[in-house]
C-alpha cells in the first residue's frame, strides 16, 4: 500500500451560524463557542502531525465544516498563516474553502485570497427561497448572487456551487429552474447531491414520524437524469458521479479520496489516512481542545487491512467516470492483479451492462457505463464486505 507522506490536507472548522435540517456533519452553532481556543488547538495538532509524519509537499488543501467562513477576518488570517507555517504548499496548490452564501463579505474574502485560498465551494443547494427555508438554510437567493459577485471582485476565478435534489416538496420543475439559474452563472464547477436522510438530524425525526414529504423515487431518478443532461449539454464534463466541471477544473483534492490516496485530516471529527492507518478525531470542540494539549486528538486509529484497501480502491475509484486502471491497482498493491481479487464481480457487472472494459494506452481500464452511472451505489456496494462474506 502507499507509504509516502500525504500530499493532500483536509482541515475541519466545525462552526456554523445554525444547523441545517439535513446535516449530520460535526458542526456546532457558533454562538458562545471558543473559536480562538479551537484555532490554538488546531495549530497544536498541526505541530504534532508534522512531527509524526513530516510532509514533503502539499498539492491540495480543503478547508471544510461546518462553515469555515464564519471565522472573522483576523481569525481567518491567523488560521491561514498557521497552515503555511506547518505545511509546505506547492506553487500550484489547489486551496479550497467551503463557504455559505452570506458569510463572505469583501474583507473576509480579501483575507482568504491573501492567505492562499484560490478556490471556493459555495453551499447554495437551491435557487428557490421557499425550499431554502424548508431545509433550514439561512441564506436566500440574493445572498448567492452577492457572494459570487464579491468573490469575483476579490480575485477568485475557481468557484463551485453545490445543488441538492430530492428535497421535501421539490419538483422536477423547481429543480430545472435552479439548474437554469446555476448554469447562467457560468461557473467552472458544479456538485450535485441527492438528499440523504441521516440519523441525528431534524429530517430523520420527521421521516420517522412520516412527516417528511420527499419526492417519489421515480421523480428523484428523473431529477438526476435532468441534471446530467443539462450539465453535459452546457459543455461540462461529468467526471465523478456527483460532480461536473469545465475541462481542467475538476476537484484535485477530492480526486485524492477517489483514487484512495493518503491525506492528512485535522480538526474536530476529521478523518485522515496515511501509512496504512485511518483515524477519526474526537468530535466535541472542548474535548478536541483538551486532547491537543498533550497528544493527537484521536478518537480511534485503525490499521487498514490490505483486502479493505483493495475494496476501497474499487468502490471509490469507480466513482470517477474515467474509471480504475489496472496499472494504478498494481502500483498501490505491489504488482497484484485487479482481476485476481475481483474477477467474478467484474465479470457479473460487465454482463449486467453496469461496467465496461476498455484498453487505453495498453492499460486495462474498467469504468461505469451510462446505465452504471444511474445505478452507481449498486456497483460500489458489490465490492464491499467480500472478506467477511468469505469468512462467514
Amino acid at each position: 500500500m502507499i507509504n509516502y507522506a500525504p500530499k493532500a490536507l483536509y482541515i475541519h472548522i466545525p462552526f456554523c451560524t445554525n444547523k441545517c435540517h439535513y446535516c449530520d456533519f460535526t458542526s456546532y452553532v457558533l454562538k458562545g463557542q471558543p473559536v480562538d481556543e479551537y484555532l490554538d488547538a488546531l495549530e497544536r495538532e498541526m505541530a504534532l502531525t508534522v512531527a509524526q509524519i513530516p510532509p514533503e509537499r502539499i498539492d491540495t488543501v480543503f478547508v471544510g465544516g461546518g462553515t469555515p467562513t464564519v471565522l472573522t477576518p483576523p481569525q481567518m488570517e491567523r488560521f491561514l498563516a498557521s497552515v503555511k507555517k506547518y505545511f509546505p504548499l506547492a506553487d500550484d496548490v489547489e486551496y479550497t474553502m467551503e463557504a455559505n452564501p452570506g458569510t463572505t463579505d469583501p474583507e473576509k474574502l480579501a483575507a482568504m485570497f491573501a492567505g492562499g485560498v484560490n478556490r471556493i465551494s459555495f453551499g447554495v443547494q437551491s435557487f428557490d427561497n421557499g425550499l431554502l427555508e424548508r431545509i433550514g438554510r439561512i441564506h436566500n437567493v440574493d445572498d448567492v448572487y452577492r457572494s459570487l459577485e464579491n468573490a469575483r471582485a476579490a480575485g477568485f476565478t475557481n468557484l463551485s456551487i453545490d445543488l441538492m435534489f430530492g428535497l421535501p416538496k421539490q419538483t422536477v420543475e423547481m429543480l430545472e429552474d435552479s439548474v437554469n439559474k446555476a448554469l447562467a452563472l457560468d461557473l467552472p464547477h458544479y456538485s450535485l447531491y441527492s438528499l440523504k436522510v441521516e440519523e441525528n438530524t431534524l429530517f430523520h425525526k420527521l421521516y420517522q414520524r412520516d412527516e417528511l414529504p420527499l419526492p417519489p423515487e421515480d421523480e428523484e431518478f428523473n431529477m438526476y437524469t435532468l441534471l446530467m443532461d443539462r450539465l453535459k449539454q452546457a459543455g461540462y464534463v461529468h467526471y465523478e458521479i456527483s460532480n461536473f466541471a469545465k475541462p481542467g477544473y475538476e476537484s484535485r483534492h477530492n480526486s485524492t479520496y477517489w483514487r484512495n490516496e493518503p491525506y492528512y485530516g485535522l480538526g474536530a471529527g476529521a478523518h485522515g489516512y496515511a501509512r496504512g492507518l485511518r483515524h477519526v478525531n474526537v468530535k466535541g470542540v472542548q474535548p478536541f481542545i483538551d486532547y491537543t494539549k498533550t497528544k493527537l486528538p484521536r478518537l480511534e486509529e485503525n490499521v487498514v487491512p490490505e483486502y479493505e484497501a483493495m475494496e476501497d480502491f474499487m468502490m471509490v475509484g469507480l466513482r470517477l467516470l474515467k474509471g480504475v486502471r489496472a496499472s494504478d491497482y498494481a502500483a498501490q498493491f505491489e504488482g497484484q492483479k485487479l482481476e485476481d481479487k475481483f474477477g467474478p464481480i467484474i465479470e457479473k457487472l460487465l454482463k449486467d451492462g453496469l461496467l465496461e472494459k476498455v484498453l487505453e494506452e495498453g492499460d486495462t481500464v474498467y469504468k461505469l457505463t451510462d446505465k452504471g452511472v444511474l445505478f452507481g451505489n449498486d456497483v460500489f456496494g458489490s465490492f464491499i464486505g467480500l472478506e467477511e462474506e468469505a469468512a462467514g
Side-chain angles (χ1 to χ4, degrees), residues 44-183:
R44 289 194 294 270
E45 187 187 11
M46 290 179 197
L48 291 166
T49 297
V50 301
Q52 184 184 75
I53 305 178
E56 296 169 13
R57 184 190 74 238
I58 299 297
D59 291 332
T60 68
V61 181
F62 196 105
V63 185
T67 307
T69 46
V70 299
L71 297 180
T72 64
Q75 288 170 340
M76 184 70 72
E77 288 173 11
R78 174 188 164 201
F79 163 64
L80 296 174
S82 68
V83 176
K84 285 184 177 178
K85 178 179 175 182
Y86 291 98
F87 293 95
L89 306 183
D91 291 340
D92 65 342
V93 66
E94 176 195 84
Y95 203 141
T96 305
M97 184 171 286
E98 288 184 333
N100 273 0
T103 63
T104 50
D105 56 72
E107 187 184 359
K108 192 173 300 179
L109 286 160
M112 290 162 58
F113 194 76
V117 177
N118 54 26
R119 184 175 183 269
I120 304 178
S121 177
F122 283 101
V124 171
Q125 317 314 1
S126 175
F127 284 82
D128 182 298
N129 281 332
L131 202 50
L132 288 172
E133 187 175 346
R134 203 172 302 139
I135 64 176
R137 303 294 286 180
I138 60 161
H139 72 270
N140 59 37
V141 175
D142 288 342
D143 292 327
V144 174
Y145 291 116
R146 185 164 51 252
S147 294
L148 289 165
E149 184 181 333
N150 288 342
R152 284 170 163 153
F156 290 95
T157 56
N158 195 351
L159 300 169
S160 176
I161 63 173
D162 294 351
L163 290 179
M164 294 181 71
F165 63 98
L167 298 172
K169 295 186 179 179
Q170 187 181 32
T171 64
V172 173
E173 292 73 26
M174 290 165 70
L175 180 64
E176 186 166 20
D177 180 66
S178 281
V179 174
N180 290 339
K181 288 171 178 170
L183 287 173

Side-chain angles (χ1 to χ4, degrees), residues 332-375:
Q332 280 203 27
F333 303 108
E334 299 173 338
Q336 296 187 60
K337 281 186 156 185
L338 187 158
E339 292 84 359
D340 288 347
K341 179 74 176 175
F342 300 110
I345 297 167
I346 289 171
E347 287 303 319
K348 183 179 187 308
L349 293 169
L350 289 168
K351 184 181 174 184
D352 292 345
L354 299 172
L355 282 188
E356 62 176 326
K357 178 181 178 179
V358 297
L359 201 63
E360 293 179 0
E361 300 171 352
D363 199 359
T364 301
V365 181
Y366 295 99
K367 56 178 73 175
L368 295 174
T369 60
D370 289 345
K371 179 183 174 184
V373 170
L374 297 173
F375 297 96

Side-chain angles (χ1 to χ4, degrees), residues 7-22:
K7 296 178 181 176
L9 168 63
Y10 176 82
I11 307 175
H12 195 74
I13 305 292
F15 307 115
C16 281
T17 45
N18 76 310
K19 191 85 169 174
C20 297
H21 299 342
Y22 55 83

